Every structure is written in structure tokens, then in C-alpha cells.
Amino acid sequence: MSQEKVTIEIDGRTIGARAGEPLIEAADRAGIYIPRFCYHKHLSVVASCRMCLVEVERAPKPLPACATQVADGMKVATRSAGALDAQRGVMEFLLINHPLDCPICDQGGECELQDQALGYGRGVSRFVEGKRAVADEDLGPLVATEMTRCIHCTRCVRFLEEIAGDQELGGMHRGEQLRISTYTGEPLRSELSSNIIDLCPVGALTNKPFRFRARAWELLSFPMVSVHDGVGSHLSVHTYQGRIQRVVPRECSTINETWIADRDRYAIEGLAAPDRLREPLVKRYGEWHTAGWEEALSAAVAGVRRVLEGHGAAGIGALLAPHATLEELYLGGRVVRALGSANVDHRLREGDVSDQEQAPPFPYLGGTIAELEQADAVLLIGSYPRHEQPLIQHRLRKAARAGAQIMALGLRRFAWNFELAEEHAVAPQHLVSELAAVAQALGERKQRKLPQALRGLPGGSVSEPARAMAKRLLAGERAVVLLGNQALSHPQAATLRALAALIGEWSGGRFGVLAAAANSAGGWLAGALPHREVAGRPSAEQGLAADAMVRAQLPCYLLHDVEPEHDLWDPAAADAALRQAEHVVAVSSFASERLREVADVLLPLGAFGETAGTYVNTEGRWQSVRGVAQSYAEARPGWRIWCALAQLLELEGFAYPDIAAVHAEIAGACRDVQPSSRYPAELRSSGATSADGGSSSAPGRASGQGSGVTLALAGAVPIYAGDALVRRSEPLQQSPLAARLEAVVAPETAQQLGISHAETDEATVRVRVQAAAAEALELPLVVSSTIPAGTVWIPAGLAERAQLGPPFGTVTIEAL
Amino acid sequence: MRPLSEYLQSFLLVELLRGLRLTGRHFFSRSVTLEFPEERAPKSPRFRGHLALRRYANGEERCIACKLCEVVCPAQAITIESHQRADGTRRTTRYEVDMFKCIYCGFCEESCPVDSIVLTRLDTYTAEVSGERVLNKQQLLSMGDRYESQIAADRAVDAPYR
Ligand code: SF4
Ligand code: SF4
Ligand code: SF4
Ligand code: FES
């Protein structure tokens, strides 16, 4: 589209436009409304509904405004007798086959067809013949269908093909038989699938869990941001009688455009899960008793005092969820520091933080989310944004469609929804050396040498894929190097960060970290760290990081919205640590069985939407939201709970009148923080430079004892297992993307195991998986060539695999 | 002179007799008072009395939880909660009318797409405890069951004018 400015006239008004842009866009900008069904600004133009017919001077027939390009001097009439007549005619045709079921249709009250019918429809239909009926579809647990209502605008088809990336719906048959269908009868698999609900102008596609719950006109809408990844998508939550009923996207061109991930929309279905904590609980002699807030708080404080007297302040450690609000993270950190300890951390899923001293103020994307679209060469390291930050994937996909070379260096191959320029999957213990090889290859081309600390990492000659990646990165004008969730939880994450930052620098592009959780960045700013206070000020005392805290087996733990069996890097060690602890206080929205076993006091925490707070997304943008739903039973906002604890502990400076005061304090401190993604190339910890992930026995070989094969373990947190709320959302857990606990190995590895069956998606055999001294685990085995040989892929973050410990390591596998 | 004639009139009880004449006239004319509980005044088929929810002949409740009556009610007397029933249809889980709020305007009946909520001819009812003023779905449905023949007959009479 050219940028040439032209002047056109619509309904007698002279407006400016760009030559060649769709007429409807120019009209929208000028605030002149033209009715439409099939047109959507983020989708391709098909001009199939004909609702947007307008009269253009010297055109013999009315023209569709969405498919007519603007030309200089054009004179358009959108409401002339001819245009209105055409629009009314189209409306009458559309209504011929549309059922009259507005009263039972969930779209009623927010339906584009209803609205247009009011403006352009006839009072009484002239059509007396029978209406068409269409057999219904089953699109899975997220999207309800009533295909008789479909008006064939194909927005849903185009969305799934153009934005979500898989052609999951299509128009079958033709003429009067035309119907929108999956054809295969499979449920939708896209992580963005539910956006078709908002796109569908009629009630053919509606929100399934929300079905028949409330009417559009009785809902109150509040702005909110998503808390399930580091993107911070803009949402509107709709409440009815103080309860959140549904979530819809709120447009934000710089973050999420008009889309949200299914996770953002349906996580709220977990809000009233059966194990939601209703009131404070105190454990006495191994029995749980419900208690009032005062009683529970004093029990919590009494325990902390006991530990302070018995073991000193260093015996206290706080693990705060990285999706807690900035204010909660700040207060949690301050309470622990005021007690004299510095054991506080929010990096629960990270195992290597040895570069923390020289790290930038917070993990930063290196630019804005929208800028990712402009990239022309992208290297993704240990990342699958499609499941980790779905809306980052959307930007990358846009870049790829515009010709960007996107490369992935990771631990397995994934189902990308665009063509990758390079995909290289290596066993976890080789990730560092492969990345070093990319750096080396870049260095060779740029006549630069790897810094001392990183030298010697490549196992020998630089591999072919590494060379190709380096070449493509250099060829790009706007290269981007991104480190994803799997790299961040790798046991040598610090080395990966150093190398990736170096590669970013040498390729002349930018380097960024994709934040895993809503406040992965905010936690750094808030000072929920063992070595830094708010705004990155150095901490007077040095505390233990999350994983070290778990290994140190402290006598007292304070947990904020943490489910140890899911949320910690090493759930096995966490379980052991919490079991031996004298006193565990859990501030939590939910009380899982395991949490009930290890905790001594449970304080109910206001969940998503019930508490005000701030989130800092991966691009460093601060977004504050209000609490919009009434609190659930006795649950209270986290910042109040921390203030109450502080006051009972007689700590100074926690008398905040409201959350705004807390926020102002943090914002004031962080005023001068400059985002940066410069990581030190000089690594401090010596262990980090050893090329194989510190594993003792070489994986991939049959080991001495038994018939088992020792393999390298790798895994990522599945898309619907990231936080307590998502894990409790029934519809998400029933969807095809829900986590399946299984061991996936390469065909070569399967042969080693003595299993000689072909690659399938379905598990047919079971294997016994044994990690270190833990109890063995029996898992179904899936054979897939997406996994590098010598590796077994077992998803992380699932309670059922907790005994295997960290996501990475070595395990012995034996066929059953 | 005047005082004398007045004196005569009152002495001869003229005013009293005049009054008695009126009494006497009504004493022998036809009585118009109805013996209320036993006798009722005739009502128009459009009479707007107590609310009721109707069923179809097969016993299925008519209401489809569209909530139009709830939103149209000027007195905000109606409260509805809806869900998907096991058979997949849209139904109410709660349908309550606060009879103290209701102003018997009949808007709910006008708005109902399936002739479910109706105003019956019933105009006499009491509530003895404060909570009784709120009628639930069961009570409203049983009102409908009880007066269905009358309700149906009234709608039939009115049909040509709608
Ligand atoms: S289902 Fe909805 S979005 Fe899809 S073609 Fe039909 S009307 Fe359009
Ligand atoms: S008759 Fe009028 S006031 Fe009474 S419930 Fe119906 S709409 Fe409300
Ligand atoms: S009574 Fe009628 S108007 Fe009211 S919710 Fe039921 S169907 Fe809708
Ligand atoms: S909006 Fe133009 S034809 Fe559909």
C-alpha cells in the first residue's frame, strides 16, 4: 500500500486517506460507520457478506466498501437512497436463513446481526418458505457452536488460517449447502482458538463455559491485564453480582492487538475450584481447624517468632510467586528483610542464577513487543512461545510472514505455526556448547574472540546448524535473539544468558529475555530477590535464591501463592524442605492436598480480579489494575495480608492506608531504573563453564545396574500448567492442549530400550523412570523424532512427576 | 319570622324525615354490594393481577431464561439466574418476583417471547411473613398450573387484538 495521501469525499465530508487503502478503513477513521460483517481490520478482505455496499460516484453499481480501494477525488455516499436500498436488500437476504432464536442465543444483546437488523431489517419477513438448518459442530470444550446461525462471513476461517496459523475450519459444500466445519470432527487445537468467539458477528460461535450464564446487558465490564505470561495482554473482565463471569480481549495495538490466548480467557473457570481456600486454617496436632483471621495471623506470627528465637533470622525464607502483584512481591520482600533475613525470591522455576549480581535491573525483552514484528532474523533459544507467550508467537509469526528468518535452537522440535529458517534440537547438556558454537561462528565472521570465561565451550569444530544460524543472524538488518522459558530454567541458564547476550551484540541486533510469568520482571523491580532490594538497590545482606533456599532446608518458609509440587524448580527438594520445616505459612488462593500436608497455617488469598495491583510485563511496561470482583468468602488481598503480618510482628513502616501508597513507594524508587539486557560475559561461578550439564554419567548409554538406559531429562511447563488458576480451569484441562504426562523419546532411544514400534502420537507401552534416589515413576512412552537422541522429554511443572526433581537432569529408563 | 319557621321545622322533625326518606328509598332499592369472599366483581380478560409462570401442554416449563422480562421490568421486581440444563436447553435456576415491588404494569408479559410470565386475574392474596413477598420459580409455576385454563382462555379472547 502506498503512503500517498489523497482526499476523498464521504457523505459530503472531505477526508484524507492513503491511496489504495480500503474505503471502509478511511471511513472508520473519519468516524463514518458503514455496516459490515465479513470485514475485520486484522484479517484479509474477502468481501463476501456485501453488507458494506456504498454508492461511489460514476460506478455503475453499489460497491463493497471493504474491497474498494481509495482513489483520489472519490465521492462516496454511504447513506444515499441507493446505498440504503442495497444494504436493506442484503440484510433481507441474510435474514432469510437466520433462525429467530435471539431469546436463547448468548450473542443476544451484543450481536452485530441484531444491531444491523434493527437499522436495516424489515419489521416482518417476506420469506415464508422453510428455513435452513445445519447440523452442529463440536469444536471442543472452549467454543460452543450453533451453526444454523452462521452467516458465512468466514471471519473464523480466516482467523484460524491467517492469525492462529492452522486451517482448522473451512467452508464445506457450496451454495445453500455451504457450511463452516472442521470436516474432521476434531476439536480446535490452537492456543488462540477462542478469539473466533469475538470475531463471529452472530451467535454461531460462543463461549462454551459461559454458556447461558448471563446476558450482555447485565454484565459490568472492567479493564484488567492477563497474569498467565509475561506479555500482560489487555483484558476486560465482565462481572455479574460481583463474580467474574467471562473475559474478553481489550484492544491494545502495542501488546495484544485484538486477540488474547485461550489461557487468558478461560483461566477464570478455576476461580471457584473445589479446593479454593475459603477461610484461614490453622493446623493443630496434625488437624486442620478453621480460624478467624486474627487467630490465624497470630498463629503464623507465633511460629515465625519461635523460629527467630531458635534459629535466628537466617532460618526464615520466603518464596513468592512470580505472578503475584508488584505490591505483594515488594511487601513480602520487605517483611523478610525487616525480620533480618534476605532469603526471598520469586524466580521459582530457575535453577541457575549465578549471574544475578551483574544482571540488569530486570529481565527485559530488549524492546517493545510490537517491534518484534519488524525483526528480520530471530534466534529463539530454548523457547516455544506458542505455548509460553502465545501473543509473542503471534508477532513472530507476523514477522515470519513478512519474510523474517526465524531460527530455533532448543531442546526438542515443536509444532511451529510458521516456517522456521533453521531448527536445531540438542540434548540439554549440549545446549550451552551449541549456543557457544553459534557465538564462535559469529565471532569468526566478525573477527572477535569469545571472552575468557566462555572459551572452550564448543566441543570441537563449530557444527553446521550453528554456522547457518550465525550466517542468517548476520544477514539480518534487525536481528533479535530471544531467550525463552526452557533456557531460563536450564541448569546453566547464566551461561546461556551470557552467550545469548553476546550473540545479540555481535549480530548487531537486540537481545531479550521472554518473561515467563506476569511479574517475572516486576519481582526484580520490587526487590523480591536475595541480593537486591527495590529498584535494584544492593541488599545489605545476601540471602539465598529460591533453589538454594529449598536445598538449605530452612526451619521456616513463607509461601505466597506457591504450590510447591508444581511451581518450584526442584519440586522433590521443595517437598523435602517443607516437610522438615518447623513452620510453614502459606498465603494461597487454593489449598491442594500437598500444600495441606506441609503447611501449618493457610491464609486465603484474593485471586485474579479480586485484588488490585500492578504487573510489569516483559517489555517493562507497568500496568495497574483494580480489584473488580468481590472477595471470595474470607479471602483477602495479598498486600493486606503482608501488612497485617508485619504489624503483628511489630515491624516498622507497614502502616499503609491503601494500595496506592504501596504502589507510589515502589514507583518512586523505580523512577530512574533504565531497562537493559546487558548480561556479564565474565561468569563468576566456576561450575557454569563445564560443557556437559554437570551430569556424572554420560547419558544415552546403558548403565551398569539393571537393564535401564540412562538418558538426559528435559522438559518444559505445558501451556495449561503454569499457575494454580490455569491448572484448575476445567475447560482448559479438557482441551487437546492440556498437559499429558508421558515420556517422549527419539526412535533411536526407543530401540535402545528394546522397543521397536513405529513413531506414534499415542502411547502404547509404559516405562519406569527413575531419578537419583527417588521412587521410580511409571509413565506411558511416546516415540517421536522431535526429541534429540539420548534425551527423554517429560513435561515439567506437574505434580505427578514431582519426584523426578528439576526439569533437567539424568534419569534411568526401563521398559516395562 | 325566620327564627319561628326554623323553630317549627325542627320541632316537627322535618329534616329528620327528609333524611329518612333517602334511607327509605335505598332501603327498598336493589343492593350493589358484593359479599366479597363469596361474590366477586366481573373482570376483563386483560386484568393484570398476580404473576404466574406457564407451562406447555406436555408439562415443560415455557421460560427459556432470555431475561427480557427482568430487564424490562420498571420496578426491578424480577431476578433471574440461568444455566444450561442437562438436556442442553437454556433454563432458569432461579426466577423470583418481589410482589411488593411489582407494579402490575404487565411489561414482563409483553416482553416474553414464549408467553411464559403472565399476569393472572388473581387480585387477592396476602403475605404473612416478610420473606413471603418474594415468590420463587416453584410458586410461580404452581400458580400457572392452577389457573392455566383461565389464563389460556383470557389470552385466546385477547388474541385478535394483539
Ligand atoms: S461461524 Fe461466525 S465467524 Fe464463522 S463464518 Fe459463521 S458467522 Fe462468520
Ligand atoms: S408487572 Fe411490571 S412491575 Fe410487575 S414484574 Fe412485571 S414488569 Fe415488573
Ligand atoms: S419469563 Fe419469558 S421473558 Fe422472562 S426470562 Fe422467561 S422466557 Fe424470558
Ligand atoms: S464487510 Fe464488505 S463485503 Fe463484508
Side-chain angles (χ1 to χ4, degrees):
Chain A
M1 193 191 306
S2 80
Q3 291 300 308
E4 191 197 333
K5 289 264 183 286
V6 296
T7 321
I8 60 171
E9 196 185 298
I10 305 182
D11 293 348
R13 269 176 62 192
T14 310
I15 60 171
R18 285 191 306 274
E21 74 172 326
L23 182 55
I24 202 167
E25 245 166 59
D28 275 352
R29 239 194 346 265
I32 299 169
Y33 184 74
I34 300 174
R36 85 280 311 263
F37 291 114
C38 67
Y39 169 80
H40 188 278
K41 63 181 172 188
H42 292 306
L43 300 177
S44 63
V45 171
V46 289
S48 66
C49 73
R50 302 273 138 181
M51 191 63 210
C52 62
L53 290 177
V54 292
E55 279 195 313
V56 178
E57 202 181 63
R58 288 202 303 280
K61 298 188 290 182
L63 298 178
C66 64
T68 304
Q69 297 183 344
V70 167
D72 200 19
M74 214 175 204
K75 282 206 172 65
V76 182
T78 69
R79 308 200 52 85
S80 64
L84 283 180
D85 196 40
Q87 290 159 4
R88 288 209 184 96
V90 169
M91 192 71 221
E92 190 171 4
F93 275 123
L94 277 175
L95 289 181
I96 279 183
N97 271 325
H98 195 78
L100 256 181
D101 57 1
C102 302
I104 52 162
C105 175
D106 259 347
Q107 193 88 351
E110 52 181 3
C111 175
E112 290 173 48
L113 189 67
Q114 259 184 344
D115 296 350
Q116 310 287 15
L118 200 67
Y120 303 92
R122 301 167 62 93
V124 176
S125 171
R126 290 188 290 178
F127 184 76
V128 290
E129 291 78 5
K131 289 193 179 225
R132 188 184 86 120
V134 176
D136 223 358
E137 290 284 315
D138 183 4
L139 301 185
L142 306 180
V143 181
T145 52
E146 196 68 68
M147 296 319 286
T148 307
R149 296 180 191 145
C150 172
I151 57 165
H152 309 128
C153 69
T154 70
R155 277 190 193 174
C156 55
V157 176
R158 280 174 288 147
F159 172 83
L160 288 170
E161 189 181 335
E162 293 164 16
I163 309 286
D166 281 323
Q167 201 172 16
E168 294 187 274
L169 283 177
M172 309 295 152
H173 312 285
R174 50 168 146 162
E176 219 217 5
Q177 300 299 317
L178 176 64
R179 64 196 53 185
I180 304 296
S181 164
T182 58
Y183 194 72
T184 57
E186 295 282 313
L188 298 182
R189 296 188 60 91
S190 166
E191 68 290 347
L192 299 175
S193 66
S194 65
N195 287 298
I196 59 177
I197 296 169
D198 311 310
L199 285 173
C200 184
V202 297
L205 306 172
T206 50
N207 186 325
K208 201 173 226 176
F210 174 74
R211 200 152 211 225
F212 303 160
R213 242 185 230 168
R215 283 305 205 174
W217 58 75
E218 54 191 2
L219 296 168
L220 297 177
S221 173
F222 300 95
M224 189 56 69
V225 297
S226 166
V227 298
H228 307 292
D229 54 34
V231 174
S233 297
H234 285 203
L235 315 173
S236 290
V237 297
H238 291 172
T239 66
Y240 174 61
Q241 298 185 343
R243 293 252 167 267
I244 298 180
Q245 300 292 342
R246 69 169 173 187
V247 170
V248 296
R250 183 160 52 98
E251 184 169 355
C252 174
S253 58
T254 49
I255 298 183
N256 53 313
E257 297 188 330
T258 48
W259 322 120
I260 54 173
D262 291 356
R263 188 162 67 173
D264 305 331
R265 188 185 306 257
Y266 295 110
I268 54 148
E269 302 300 325
L271 279 173
D275 64 349
R276 180 83 200 258
L277 202 47
R278 297 188 62 87
E279 57 256 303
L281 299 177
V282 178
K283 197 189 256 170
R284 280 194 221 103
Y285 306 108
E287 292 279 323
W288 282 107
H289 297 276
T290 57
W293 267 103
E294 242 165 78
E295 190 188 343
L297 285 171
S298 38
V301 165
V304 172
R305 286 232 167 86
R306 256 198 328 273
V307 173
L308 276 177
E309 276 157 30
H311 306 266
I316 293 172
L319 297 166
L320 314 174
H323 53 261
T325 65
L326 190 70
E327 290 79 2
E328 288 162 353
L329 291 163
Y330 171 70
L331 290 170
R334 272 195 56 209
V335 166
V336 174
R337 290 216 154 82
L339 286 171
S341 168
N343 302 333
V344 54
D345 205 350
H346 73 286
R347 297 164 298 177
L348 306 186
R349 288 213 174 102
E350 293 181 37
D352 177 15
V353 293
S354 54
D355 58 345
Q356 61 179 8
E357 286 303 332
Q358 299 105 305
F362 65 90
Y364 175 49
L365 185 63
T368 65
I369 292 171
E371 275 165 22
L372 289 175
E373 260 176 49
Q374 265 89 52
D376 54 4
V378 181
L379 174 60
L380 290 162
I381 303 158
S383 175
Y384 184 40
R386 192 168 181 195
H387 281 185
E388 288 159 6
Q389 294 90 3
L391 286 149
I392 298 277
Q393 171 88 1
H394 167 57
R395 298 284 177 171
L396 293 176
R397 186 163 185 278
K398 274 174 118 177
R401 276 163 66 101
Q405 307 280 308
I406 307 211
M407 297 161 278
L409 172 59
L411 303 166
R412 66 172 289 181
R413 277 191 283 282
F414 287 104
W416 300 87
N417 55 6
F418 51 78
E419 197 76 34
L420 283 177
E422 301 280 339
E423 184 167 26
H424 189 34
V426 297
Q429 69 273 24
H430 301 314
L431 186 60
V432 168
S433 54
E434 272 309 309
L435 192 59
V438 177
Q440 182 120 331
L442 267 181
E444 280 168 18
R445 291 172 153 264
K446 303 248 331 180
Q447 324 283 325
R448 309 269 285 264
K449 276 220 168 84
L450 283 177
Q452 193 63 40
L454 297 173
R455 226 171 277 164
L457 283 176
S461 61
V462 173
S463 70
E464 222 16 76
R467 218 174 271 289
M469 285 181 180
K471 193 169 147 212
R472 287 187 200 268
L473 272 180
L474 274 184
E477 300 243 302
R478 293 171 301 276
V480 178
V481 178
L482 293 173
L483 211 54
N485 294 10
Q486 296 155 45
L488 295 178
S489 60
H490 190 273
Q492 288 162 285
T495 319
L496 290 175
R497 273 189 287 261
L499 281 168
L502 202 67
I503 292 171
E505 194 188 316
W506 284 359
S507 58
R510 68 188 231 209
F511 161 65
V513 174
L514 291 169
N519 253 335
S520 289
W524 281 76
L525 291 169
L529 292 170
H531 66 295
R532 283 185 193 167
E533 292 189 21
V534 64
R537 293 177 193 151
S539 167
E541 242 159 298
Q542 292 296 310
L544 300 173
D547 191 50
M549 230 185 283
V550 162
R551 281 171 212 289
Q553 306 222 328
L554 302 176
C556 172
Y557 289 97
L558 309 175
L559 307 178
H560 183 101
D561 216 5
V562 175
E563 293 192 287
E565 70 276 25
H566 290 281
D567 293 333
L568 287 159
W569 192 66
D570 184 348
D575 197 52
L578 292 169
R579 273 179 205 286
Q580 63 75 44
E582 277 170 37
H583 187 59
V584 177
V585 180
V587 180
S588 179
S589 304
F590 302 95
S592 66
E593 265 318 304
R594 296 246 194 145
L595 197 60
R596 280 166 170 270
E597 279 167 31
V598 297
D600 296 288
V601 180
L602 283 166
L603 304 175
L605 170 70
F608 172 78
E610 293 162 17
T611 164
T614 305
Y615 300 93
V616 183
N617 79 354
T618 184
E619 50 179 9
R621 185 193 296 225
W622 291 47
Q623 310 195 92
S624 294
V625 296
R626 284 192 299 146
V628 300
Q630 60 182 229
S631 51
Y632 186 86
E634 281 298 300
R636 292 288 175 269
W639 72 274
R640 278 192 191 281
I641 300 178
W642 283 104
C643 285
L645 280 172
Q647 243 135 37
L648 283 178
L649 285 162
E650 287 161 7
L651 305 176
E652 293 287 317
F654 285 92
Y656 295 100
D658 52 21
I659 193 164
V662 187
H663 178 85
E665 211 171 283
I666 312 172
C670 293
R671 201 177 306 123
D672 300 323
V673 173
Q674 287 303 323
S676 134
S677 43
R678 301 186 65 83
Y679 282 88
E682 302 308 320
L683 293 170
R684 300 180 75 207
S685 111
S686 51
T689 46
S690 90
D692 73 338
S695 58
S696 43
S697 58
R701 234 160 279 146
S703 66
Q705 27 118 355
S707 55
V709 178
T710 305
L711 296 174
L713 171 67
V717 180
I719 179 166
Y720 299 146
D723 57 74
L725 201 55
V726 166
R727 289 192 287 265
R728 283 171 176 77
S729 163
E730 279 286 322
L732 290 180
Q733 296 309 330
Q734 287 159 5
S735 84
L737 293 185
R740 290 194 298 180
L741 186 61
E742 54 199 13
V744 195
V745 294
E748 300 93 302
T749 318
Q751 256 169 19
Q752 267 181 320
L753 285 167
I755 298 159
S756 58
H757 78 84
E759 215 175 298
T760 60
D761 239 7
E762 290 308 310
T764 42
V765 267
R766 294 180 73 82
V767 288
R768 182 180 292 129
V769 184
Q770 171 109 42
E775 217 179 297
L777 191 65
E778 277 184 25
L779 293 179
L781 184 85
V782 173
V783 182
S784 163
S785 54
T786 57
I787 309 292
T791 304
V792 53
W793 181 273
I794 300 175
L798 303 179
E800 300 80 13
R801 63 146 329 266
Q803 69 229 59
L804 296 181
F808 303 94
T810 39
V811 289
T812 319
I813 290 209
E814 196 179 339
L816 286 180
Chain B
M1 271 319 274
R2 247 186 109 172
L4 181 67
S5 73
E6 275 178 15
Y7 177 76
L8 270 178
Q9 280 204 0
S10 74
F11 186 75
L12 295 174
L13 304 174
V14 174
E15 277 159 348
L16 181 72
L17 290 173
R18 261 199 212 129
L20 280 175
R21 195 175 65 193
L22 188 69
T23 311
R25 221 173 33 233
H26 284 283
F27 192 81
F28 295 105
S29 69
R30 215 169 70 87
S31 157
V32 292
T33 311
L34 296 178
E35 294 293 328
F36 166 62
E38 289 82 28
E39 292 176 299
R40 307 277 170 121
K43 287 197 190 92
S44 149
R46 291 180 181 170
F47 187 85
R48 302 200 300 262
H50 196 283
L51 296 175
L53 283 172
R54 294 176 72 195
R55 293 180 196 275
Y56 289 110
N58 63 3
E60 176 66 281
E61 57 188 276
R62 284 175 179 249
C63 177
I64 48 172
C66 72
K67 301 206 182 191
L68 288 177
C69 52
E70 184 188 40
V71 73
V72 80
C73 176
Q76 303 194 348
I78 305 178
T79 312
I80 298 174
E81 277 167 22
S82 54
H83 78 146
Q84 183 166 11
R85 202 170 63 182
D87 62 358
T89 56
R90 180 184 186 111
R91 297 292 166 189
T92 54
T93 49
R94 176 175 171 202
Y95 191 113
E96 285 176 0
V97 180
D98 187 333
M99 296 306 288
F100 281 16
K101 285 188 184 167
C102 177
I103 54 168
Y104 306 95
C105 61
F107 285 7
C108 48
E109 178 171 346
E110 287 295 326
S111 72
C112 184
V114 291
D115 293 342
S116 171
I117 185 82
V118 288
L119 286 86
T120 64
R121 291 183 168 210
L122 182 68
D123 58 351
T124 50
Y125 45 89
T126 55
E128 285 170 5
V129 235
S130 130
E132 272 178 29
R133 66 175 207 277
V134 179
L135 297 182
N136 62 25
K137 181 174 166 185
Q138 226 36 58
Q139 289 167 307
L140 288 164
L141 277 170
S142 59
M143 279 297 291
D145 295 343
R146 204 142 124 213
Y147 297 104
E148 175 58 32
S149 51
Q150 179 74 70
I151 295 169
D154 286 349
R155 310 299 122 175
V157 173
D158 207 24
Y161 311 105
R162 299 197 142 249

